[in-house]
Amino acid sequence: MIENKLNFFFKNQIWHLGGTIVFFYIGFQFVDLSSNTNTFLGINAFEWFFVAMTIPLVHQTYVWICWRSELCWKSISNTIGFKGYVIIFFILIISRLSAIVLCFVDYGSLYTPNWLAWVLGLILFIPGAYTMYSVKKYFGFLRAAGADHFDPKYRNLPFERRGIFKWTPNAMYVFAIAIPFSFAVATGSQSMFIVSIYTYISIWLHYFCTEKPDFAAIYNN
C-alpha cells in the first residue's frame, strides 16, 4: 500500500532523470562530428548521434511516468490501457536501434577496426543475444516491459532461474547492455562508445531509482 502517492511518484527521480540529463550533456562534450560528412536517409552523423542519445532519455521518462502513475492512481489502465502502453514501449525499444546506424555513419572515427575488433565485438554480442533469447523463451517480453505494474497475476510468478537468469536475476541490465558496446568495438565509432557508456549508466540509474523502489512497493519489500 502506497501511503503518500505524490511523494512516491517523484521518488528518486532527481537522481534518475537528473542524472541521465547530466550524462546526456556530458556525452555531447566528448564528440565532435562537425567534420563527418556521412549521411543515411538524408540524416547526418550528428543528427543520428542526437537521436541515439535522446531516445533512452525519452524511453526512461515514459516508463517512469507510466509505472509510477499506474501504481499510484491506475492512470494507464484508466486511459490507454496496458496494450497501449506496451505498443509505445516497444516502439521506443525498436527506436534504440538507431544507434546501429550511427555506428556506420561514424565508422572508424576512433580507430580502424580489424578482425580482432570484429571478433571482440562478436564475443560481447553473444551474451546480449542470449539474454534476449532467454527473455523471449523464459521470461516473456510483456513481463520485461513491466507487466507486474499493471496485472496482479504477474506478481505471483516466481523469479526466473532458467537460461541466462541462472547467472543473474538482472540479466537484462548485466548482459543485454553489452550489445551497444559490441557494435562500438566492432566499428571503432567514437560516438557509439559514448552512446554505449551513456546507455549503460542511464539504465542502472533507472534500475536503482525507479525499478527497485517499484519492486519494493509491489512485492512488499
Side-chain angles (χ1 to χ4, degrees):
M1 185 68 169
I2 300 171
E3 295 182 0
N4 192 323
K5 294 180 178 180
L6 190 60
N7 279 354
F8 180 75
F9 180 78
F10 287 104
K11 182 177 182 179
N12 295 337
Q13 293 312 304
I14 190 172
W15 304 112
H16 173 213
L17 297 181
T20 301
I21 291 169
V22 167
F23 285 107
F24 178 91
Y25 173 79
I26 292 172
F28 277 84
Q29 309 313 304
F30 283 89
V31 66
D32 181 10
L33 294 166
S34 58
S35 61
N36 189 320
T37 59
N38 297 326
T39 63
F40 181 74
L41 298 178
I43 302 172
N44 64 37
F46 177 80
E47 290 166 337
W48 279 114
F49 176 71
F50 181 82
V51 170
M53 292 285 284
T54 301
I55 289 173
L57 177 58
V58 173
H59 185 201
Q60 289 175 208
T61 302
Y62 171 74
V63 169
W64 156 58
I65 292 172
C66 290
W67 282 6
R68 291 284 173 88
S69 64
E70 178 67 18
L71 289 177
C72 292
W73 304 290
K74 297 287 184 184
S75 299
I76 304 304
S77 295
N78 294 328
T79 53
I80 62 175
F82 179 59
K83 184 179 291 186
Y85 156 78
V86 166
I87 290 171
I88 299 172
F89 179 91
F90 283 111
I91 287 173
L92 290 170
I93 285 286
I94 293 169
S95 297
R96 286 181 178 244
L97 296 178
S98 59
I100 296 176
V101 177
L102 175 65
C103 291
F104 294 99
V105 295
D106 191 42
Y107 188 91
S109 61
L110 187 61
Y111 57 82
T112 302
N114 54 21
W115 67 268
L116 183 61
W118 300 330
V119 170
L120 182 56
L122 179 61
I123 291 172
L124 288 171
F125 182 80
I126 290 172
Y130 183 52
T131 299
M132 301 311 297
Y133 168 80
S134 296
V135 170
K136 180 179 183 301
K137 184 174 178 63
Y138 303 115
F139 197 78
F141 286 119
L142 292 182
R143 191 179 179 188
D148 51 358
H149 287 68
F150 304 87
D151 190 340
K153 75 179 183 183
Y154 284 93
R155 301 172 190 177
N156 298 321
L157 296 176
F159 283 103
E160 188 55 68
R161 290 290 184 265
R162 293 172 292 178
I164 195 74
F165 299 104
K166 287 189 298 186
W167 305 102
T168 173
N170 206 6
M172 287 179 284
Y173 294 165
V174 175
F175 294 115
I177 203 65
I179 292 177
F181 284 103
S182 71
F183 281 94
V185 170
T187 60
S189 167
Q190 180 188 28
S191 59
M192 188 58 188
F193 272 106
I194 293 169
V195 169
S196 301
I197 294 168
Y198 160 75
T199 302
Y200 182 83
I201 294 171
S202 66
I203 200 66
W204 280 105
L205 283 172
H206 163 75
Y207 173 72
F208 284 111
C209 298
T210 302
E211 187 168 327
K212 196 171 182 179
D214 285 12
F215 283 170
I218 293 170
Y219 297 103
N220 297 316
N221 295 312

